[in-house]
Amino acid sequence: MNTIQPTLILTPEQIRQKIRRIAFQIYETNFEEPALLLAGVSGEGYVLAQALAQELQRIAPFSVELLQLRLDKTQPAQPPVEASGSVTDFTDKVVIVVDDVLYTGRTLAFSLQPFLSVPIRKLQVAVLVDRNYPRYPVSADYKGYELSTTLTDHVDVVLSDDTRMGVYLR
């Protein structure tokens, strides 16, 4: 059987550049805020949120809090999303939901759930790769890379493995 090798779309250095650029955009948009909350979707989205938090702590004077959103992307009917912090921790804060890839918007739409019942200051979305196939009314405020793909293509983002770090198309 002939297996097709994935195509490298972004190298580790390009990913680091995208993360730096997104961090500067977040800082420019929110420079007057006293604090930000980065809510990373479990998996590579949370790893991306950690990297953004580190970069923001280097360049911005405000505090950056990090929390993980746990959900099962494979479930057609999503059970309630779990957040690694208290709901009251979101009150009157700028919240940025972070994920690795925005494809249909389904995962990010479910990821917004914990923040809808709390009076937050602002809700934004950051992704490393935007595939431009919206089925849900979710768009990214911050994008590292826009990639037009076919419905049969698959984008793999690897951030948690230094030896394979990259964005791949297969």
Side-chain angles (χ1 to χ4, degrees):
M1 180 176 183
N2 187 10
T3 59
I4 299 172
Q5 292 295 323
T7 303
L8 181 65
I9 302 296
L10 293 175
T11 66
E13 182 54 35
Q14 289 169 322
I15 290 171
R16 285 188 282 276
Q17 289 172 344
K18 303 288 184 202
I19 290 170
R20 274 192 295 275
R21 185 174 53 78
I22 292 170
F24 272 103
Q25 288 175 323
I26 289 171
Y27 176 40
E28 289 171 4
T29 304
N30 298 290
F31 69 93
E32 294 180 329
E33 298 297 331
L36 290 182
L37 176 68
L38 297 181
V41 175
S42 59
E44 299 302 297
Y46 183 68
V47 176
L48 177 59
Q50 290 173 313
L52 284 170
Q54 288 175 353
E55 194 64 36
L56 282 164
Q57 289 167 343
R58 280 190 210 108
I59 63 172
F62 48 69
S63 67
V64 179
E65 298 173 59
L66 189 61
L67 92 103
Q68 184 173 14
L69 299 173
R70 288 182 292 281
L71 64 150
D72 185 350
K73 296 178 182 184
T74 64
Q75 290 293 325
Q78 189 60 235
V81 174
E82 295 178 25
S84 63
S86 166
V87 172
T88 58
D89 294 342
F90 316 147
T91 301
D92 201 33
K93 291 193 178 159
V94 172
V95 176
I96 301 174
V97 177
V98 181
D99 202 5
D100 55 350
V101 178
L102 172 56
Y103 179 35
T104 63
R106 182 182 176 279
T107 298
L108 284 168
F110 282 117
S111 299
L112 302 177
Q113 178 189 23
F115 310 107
L116 298 178
S117 62
V118 179
I120 59 173
R121 188 180 303 243
K122 192 176 355 178
L123 185 61
Q124 300 173 329
V125 173
V127 297
L128 185 59
V129 178
D130 183 355
R131 289 187 59 187
N132 296 314
Y133 277 104
R135 290 187 198 159
Y136 291 77
V138 176
S139 63
D141 300 281
Y142 310 103
K143 305 170 191 178
Y145 192 71
E146 289 191 66
L147 180 66
S148 294
T149 60
T150 67
L151 291 172
T152 58
D153 288 334
H154 185 78
V155 174
D156 287 320
V157 173
V158 180
L159 301 173
S160 55
D161 181 352
D162 288 339
T163 61
R164 290 187 44 242
M165 184 181 199
V167 174
Y168 300 91
L169 178 66
R170 54 180 173 93

